[in-house]
Amino acid sequence: MPTPIEEPPRRRRRPALSCVACRRRKIKCDRASPCARCISTNTRCTYRACSSDTDAVRTYSSRDSDGPIAPSPRTSPSPAHLAVNRDGSPVGYGYYSSAPVALRPGYSDETSRDKTLNPSRPRETASDFNDLWWRVQRLEELSASSPVRGLGETGRHILTRQAGLRDSEITLKKTRLLRWSDWMGTAPEFQHVYKCFEAARTGGEGTSFQNEETKALLAEVDDLYEKCKRIAKALKVNRPSRCLSSPKPSLEPPPRMIADTMIALYFQSFEPVHRILHQPSFQAEYQTFWAHPESITTGQRLKILLVIGIGSSLRDDAGPDSDLRRGVQQWIYTAQAWLSGPLEKDRLDVHGLQIHCLTTLARQIFSVGGDLVWMSIGSLINSAMQIGLHRDPKHLPSMSLLEAEVRRRLWYTILEFLVQSSLDSALPPRISSDDFDTEPPSNNNDDEIDESTTALQPHPRWAYTRTAMQLLLIDSLPSRLRLVQLLSGLHSELAYPDVLKLSSEILSACQACAKFTNENRQTAITTFQRNMCDQLVRRFLIALHCPFASEARKNPLFHYSQKVALDTALSLISPEPDEYFSRLLATGGGMYREGFRCAIATITLQLLVQAQAQREDGTFQSSTRQLDVLKQAVNDITTLSWERIRQGETNIKGPMFLGIVLAVANSPDGSASCEAAMAKSARDSLTLCHQILEARARAVPLVSPFDTSLTSSSLDGEPNSFGLDFNLEFFFPNSGDW
C-alpha cells in the first residue's frame, strides 16, 4: 500500500489578537492586558507575538502589580520573543494597566522563557510552586488592609483589643467581671472625661490641668465630692442591711385602704408582663389575711407584703426615706432571709417559687442588690427544675388545669428573669433550649380558670388577655437566650454575620410587639405594659452591637451596628409617656437600671465621636442638627439622673460624668483648652447633687456611719433574728456605685 502523505501543520494566516486563555475557551476577549476575562477568573493572561505555534510567549498574572520589569542581566530576549500589546508595546503585569512590573522572587525572565520553550523540563514544578506562593502572599497582604477582613473578628476580640487586653486576659471592677456598659466605657473617646475625674480627685495636682483657674475649680469639685460621699454614707446607714432597727423585723402591712390600692397597681402593671400569681387565688388569700390573720402562714404573709411593696413603687409619694419605703425594704430583706434559711417543705413548691420570683422582682425595682440577682436566679431556676417546672405538665402526674397553667406561667417568668440577669451581668445563663420542654401557657384570663376547670378554650394569639404580654416575650425568648449564650460563652464565637441574624430576629420581635399593642389599644392594655414589653426585648440590641458599633469609626462596614445601637439607646431613654413607667425608671435597679446605663454609654460615645468627626471635616460650627439631638438626649439623661438621686440613688458620678461629656462635646477643638469648661461642668453637677442629698438628709434622722452599735453584725446569733447566723451584707453588698 502506498504510504499516506503527511499533511504539513496548518498555520494561521493572520496574527491572533485574543489572549491564549480566551482562544482556548473560545470566548470573546477584550484584548486588554490583562483582559477582563482573565482578571475575573484569576487566570494568567498570555498573548502571542506572532502566529507561529513555536514562537515564544510571555505570560503574566492579572494579580501581579509590583512595579516595572527588570530585564535579566544575563539574557536580553529579542523583540521577536516578547509578547506585545495591541499597539505593539511590550506587555507587563498589572490589574488594569499594561505597565510592566517587577519580577517575583525566584522567577526570572530567563526562567519564564525556559518554561515556555521547554515545557517538559523538571524545573517547571519548582518554579510554579514559587509563583503560587508569591501570589498567595500578595493576596494576604491585600486582604489585610481590606475593611471586609474586619467582618471575621468577633465582638469579644474587639472589646479586649479596645481595652488593651490579650485574648486570655480579663479585668475586674470591684471584684466583679465587667458588664456591657463597663466595656463600652473603655472607648478611647472617654479619655478626656476620665482625665478630668482623676484631676478632680487630686485637686489638679500632678495632672495636666495646670491652669490656676482650672485648679481652683477642681479643688472645689473635690470638696463637693467629699461632702456628697459623707451624706451618702450616712443615708445608707439607715438601710436594713446596715442597721436593723429591731431584732425581729415588723411584718405589719399598711392600712387596708393603702394596701388595696397598691395591690391593684401591681396586678395592673407588673403581673401582666411577669406572670407569677393567679389573681383570684391570691385575692382569696388576701381576704383571709385581713379577716383571719392568725391563720396565715409566714410564706403567705411575705407574698402579700411583697405584692403591696411592689405596687407601692408606683405610688409612694412620700419619698425614698419614708416609713413605707423603709418598711418595704425590710420586707425584701426578710423574704430573702426566709428563702435562704434552712430548707423546709413549704419553700420547695410553687408557692415558695412565687415568693422567690416576687423577691427577685422587688429587689430590682427598689435597687436592693438588684445588680446581683444573677446569683439568686441560679438558685431559683435550680429549685424550679427540682420540682419539675422545666417539664411540661402533660409529662407529669395528673394535676388540675389551674395548676398546670400556673406552672407554665411561672417557668417562663423565671426564664425571663434569667436572660435579663445574664445580659446585665455579662455571665452565661447556664441553661439552653434543650434543657426544658415546657409549653407556653394558654392565652386566657385568670377568671377563666379555677380549681374546677376541666376544659380550656384559649383565645386567638392576636386577642389581648392577661397572659398576652408574656406570650409576646416568649416568642423572642429563644433568640434572646441564644444571644446571651453567644455573648457570654467562654468558647463561643459571635461573628458579624451571626450578629446581623440575631439583630433581625430581635427587631422582628419588637415590631411584633408594637403591632400587637397598637391593634389592642382599645383593650385593657396599658402604656406601662407596652413600654415594659418593648424595653425587655429591645435592650438586647445594645449589647449585641456595642463591640462593632465602636469599630464603625474605623471600619465603615460596621455603620449599621452604630445606627442600631444609637436608635435603641434613644428609644430606651424616651419611652411612650407614662407616669408609672417614668417612676420605675427613676427608682428601678437591676434590669431597669442597666438598660439605662447602656443607653448613657452609647449616646455619650456617639456624641463625642460625632463632635470629633465634625471638627475634623470643618462642619462643627455650621452643621449642628445631629449634635443638637444628641446633646438634648444627654440633657434628658442628666435630668433623669438627678431624679434618681431624689428617689433614693446615692451615687453622684452619673450627673458629673454627663456634665463633663457635654463640656468636651461643646468645645470647638476638643483639646486641653476645654479643661476649664470640664471642671466648671463637674462643679455645677456636684453642686446640685449636694443640694438634693442635703434635702434628703434633713428629712430623716441620720445615724453616724461610724456608729456600729446597730449594725447587722451585732444581731448575729440573736434569739429573735429568724435564726440568721450570717451577715445580711453577704447577700446585699453596696451596689450604689456605678
Side-chain angles (χ1 to χ4, degrees):
M1 295 181 61
T3 302
I5 301 176
E6 296 183 1
E7 296 183 359
R10 296 180 57 185
R11 294 179 178 271
R12 295 181 62 91
R13 296 185 178 180
R14 59 184 177 84
L17 300 179
S18 300
C19 71
V20 174
C22 290
R23 282 167 40 211
R24 184 175 65 250
R25 292 194 296 259
K26 297 183 179 180
I27 57 178
K28 185 177 180 180
C29 179
D30 63 2
R31 303 172 185 174
S33 24
C35 72
R37 297 281 186 179
C38 291
I39 292 175
S40 63
T41 58
N42 286 333
T43 304
R44 304 176 73 178
C45 192
T46 303
Y47 286 91
R48 291 187 182 274
C50 52
S51 61
S52 174
D53 292 337
T54 60
D55 288 329
V57 297
R58 174 164 298 183
T59 48
Y60 58 93
S61 169
S62 62
R63 291 163 291 189
D64 302 338
S65 58
D66 272 1
I69 257 185
S72 171
R74 294 177 296 168
T75 61
S76 296
S78 63
H81 289 158
L82 290 176
V84 295
N85 294 315
R86 295 178 60 192
D87 58 1
S89 60
V91 298
Y93 297 88
Y95 277 104
Y96 305 103
S97 157
S98 59
V101 299
L103 291 174
R104 299 182 293 277
Y107 193 84
S108 66
D109 182 69
E110 183 179 6
T111 303
S112 176
R113 291 193 299 111
D114 288 343
K115 282 181 56 182
T116 307
L117 296 175
N118 302 283
S120 61
R121 293 184 61 175
R123 61 195 298 181
E124 179 180 4
T125 303
S127 179
D128 282 347
F129 175 80
N130 291 335
D131 181 38
L132 180 61
W133 174 85
W134 187 87
R135 283 186 285 158
V136 170
Q137 192 175 39
R138 285 286 301 149
L139 286 174
E140 290 178 349
E141 293 173 356
L142 291 171
S143 64
S145 59
S146 173
V148 180
R149 184 175 182 270
L151 297 179
E153 194 172 15
T154 64
R156 180 182 290 109
H157 294 156
I158 291 175
L159 291 175
T160 53
R161 171 170 51 79
Q162 183 174 275
L165 302 174
R166 293 189 294 269
D167 290 344
S168 58
E169 289 183 325
I170 61 173
T171 185
L172 300 176
K173 178 184 180 182
K174 295 185 178 180
T175 73
R176 307 178 204 170
L177 292 173
L178 295 185
R179 293 169 288 185
W180 294 111
S181 55
D182 297 323
W183 278 112
M184 296 168 69
T186 62
E189 283 77 10
F190 290 124
Q191 292 309 309
H192 279 307
V193 180
Y194 299 149
K195 186 186 300 183
C196 186
F197 264 109
E198 180 185 357
R201 298 299 298 120
T202 61
E205 298 297 334
T207 65
S208 61
F209 292 72
Q210 297 303 317
N211 182 276
E212 292 301 324
E213 179 184 357
T214 303
K215 292 176 69 174
L217 287 171
L218 291 175
E220 191 175 352
V221 169
D222 186 34
D223 182 60
L224 285 169
Y225 185 81
E226 291 299 327
K227 289 180 179 179
C228 291
K229 283 186 64 176
R230 284 195 294 270
I231 299 176
K233 286 183 178 180
L235 288 171
K236 288 188 285 188
V237 167
N238 288 321
R239 292 178 177 176
S241 65
R242 308 292 179 93
C243 176
L244 297 179
S245 59
S246 170
K248 186 172 183 179
S250 173
L251 297 180
E252 293 300 320
R256 176 72 183 269
M257 184 178 298
I258 296 177
D260 290 349
T261 302
M262 303 309 174
I263 286 178
L265 278 175
Y266 168 81
F267 281 101
Q268 175 186 343
S269 302
F270 291 100
E271 180 64 29
V273 180
H274 303 298
R275 294 311 318 262
I276 300 174
L277 304 171
H278 179 245
Q279 187 170 2
S281 301
F282 176 84
Q283 290 291 350
E285 291 182 6
Y286 182 65
Q287 296 299 328
T288 305
F289 173 77
W290 290 105
H292 305 285
E294 71 281 355
S295 64
I296 294 295
T297 65
T298 301
Q300 291 174 321
R301 179 177 290 270
L302 287 173
K303 184 193 301 182
I304 292 171
L305 292 178
L306 287 171
V307 172
I308 294 173
I310 293 173
S312 72
S313 66
L314 305 180
R315 284 295 300 271
D316 181 15
D317 301 326
D321 304 299
S322 64
D323 292 338
L324 178 58
R325 177 69 67 86
R326 288 199 298 270
V328 171
Q329 291 179 341
Q330 187 65 73
W331 300 340
I332 296 172
Y333 283 98
T334 304
Q336 184 69 62
W338 183 80
L339 292 167
S340 305
L343 183 62
E344 301 290 345
K345 291 182 179 179
D346 62 345
R347 305 180 194 185
L348 192 59
D349 58 7
V350 170
H351 297 290
L353 292 180
Q354 288 175 330
I355 296 172
H356 206 154
C357 287
L358 290 170
T359 303
T360 300
L361 182 59
R363 283 178 57 183
Q364 298 185 81
I365 292 173
F366 291 99
S367 298
V368 182
D371 56 348
L372 301 177
V373 295
W374 180 81
M375 297 184 293
S376 299
I377 290 176
S379 174
L380 173 60
I381 199 163
N382 289 340
S383 300
M385 297 181 75
Q386 184 74 49
I387 66 173
L389 257 65
H390 65 300
R391 301 303 310 273
D392 192 76
K394 66 185 179 183
H395 302 301
L396 301 176
S398 178
M399 63 182 68
S400 65
L401 279 176
L402 174 61
E403 183 179 358
E405 284 301 306
V406 169
R407 291 173 68 95
R408 291 187 179 107
R409 294 175 179 179
L410 199 56
W411 172 251
Y412 279 101
T413 295
I414 293 172
L415 287 183
E416 185 64 34
F417 286 161
L418 178 67
V419 296
Q420 298 291 340
S421 66
S422 178
L423 178 70
D424 293 338
S425 60
L427 292 170
R430 298 304 186 195
I431 195 172
S432 69
S433 56
D434 296 330
D435 297 328
F436 61 92
D437 61 4
T438 305
E439 297 178 357
S442 60
N443 192 27
N444 288 93
N445 291 306
D446 286 3
D447 56 8
E448 298 173 339
I449 316 172
D450 56 30
E451 289 288 354
S452 61
T453 303
T454 57
L456 193 62
Q457 182 62 40
H459 293 274
R461 281 298 306 271
W462 48 263
Y464 174 76
T465 68
R466 302 291 288 180
T467 314
M469 304 306 293
Q470 184 184 40
L471 293 174
L472 284 175
L473 293 175
I474 292 174
D475 289 341
S476 65
L477 184 62
S479 297
R480 291 182 290 140
L481 181 59
R482 188 166 68 255
L483 185 152
V484 293
Q485 287 172 336
L486 291 172
L487 283 176
S488 55
L490 188 59
H491 301 292
S492 61
E493 297 291 339
L494 184 60
Y496 200 56
D498 302 320
V499 170
L500 296 179
K501 183 176 184 299
L502 285 171
S503 177
S504 176
E505 294 174 2
I506 299 297
L507 286 172
S508 296
C510 294
Q511 293 168 0
C513 179
K515 179 181 178 182
F516 178 84
T517 55
N518 288 332
E519 292 175 351
N520 290 274
R521 284 186 177 270
Q522 304 304 318
T523 61
I525 189 171
T526 64
T527 304
F528 183 94
Q529 297 170 20
R530 290 195 295 269
N531 286 335
M532 176 78 78
C533 185
D534 181 79
Q535 185 184 73
L536 292 178
V537 177
R538 190 179 299 275
R539 72 192 198 95
F540 282 75
L541 291 170
I542 294 184
L544 180 63
H545 283 281
C546 75
F548 305 96
S550 63
E551 287 289 294
R553 56 190 180 277
K554 300 178 182 177
N555 191 338
L557 295 180
F558 292 137
H559 177 74
Y560 176 74
S561 288
Q562 186 182 57
K563 179 181 183 302
V564 171
L566 180 59
D567 290 347
T568 303
L570 293 173
S571 176
L572 292 180
I573 67 167
S574 304
E576 189 176 349
D578 180 74
E579 176 188 357
Y580 294 154
F581 196 76
S582 297
R583 186 170 181 82
L584 178 63
L585 292 180
T587 60
M591 57 185 171
Y592 307 113
R593 186 175 67 178
E594 183 61 20
F596 179 63
R597 294 176 77 244
C598 288
I600 290 176
T602 301
I603 294 173
T604 52
L605 175 60
Q606 183 58 30
L607 173 61
L608 296 177
V609 170
Q610 182 67 27
Q612 182 60 29
Q614 292 193 204
R615 291 189 196 101
E616 294 174 354
D617 61 21
T619 61
F620 183 80
Q621 302 289 351
S622 58
S623 179
T624 63
R625 179 176 300 179
Q626 187 171 0
L627 281 178
D628 290 342
V629 171
L630 295 174
K631 290 176 184 178
Q632 183 58 47
V634 173
N635 286 324
D636 294 341
I637 296 172
T638 304
T639 302
L640 182 55
S641 298
W642 285 329
E643 182 62 26
R644 288 185 63 86
I645 296 176
R646 293 188 183 94
Q647 296 299 327
E649 178 65 66
T650 58
N651 187 281
I652 44 83
K653 294 179 183 177
M656 181 180 173
F657 169 82
L658 294 169
I660 298 174
V661 167
L662 278 176
V664 176
N666 288 325
S667 173
D669 54 5
S671 61
S673 61
C674 68
E675 291 177 352
M678 294 164 62
K680 185 177 184 301
S681 295
R683 183 201 61 184
D684 294 343
S685 297
L686 287 180
T687 298
L688 182 55
C689 290
H690 183 252
Q691 294 172 357
I692 296 173
L693 291 174
E694 274 193 327
R696 286 180 54 191
R698 288 193 296 267
V700 294
L702 296 182
V703 181
S704 171
F706 304 103
D707 182 6
T708 59
S709 60
L710 291 177
T711 57
S712 57
S713 59
S714 66
L715 299 176
D716 294 348
E718 292 275 344
N720 296 323
S721 61
F722 295 95
L724 302 179
D725 56 350
F726 52 83
N727 191 335
L728 288 179
E729 190 68 10
F730 173 79
F731 290 101
F732 306 107
N734 175 26
S735 59
D737 293 337
W738 54 282

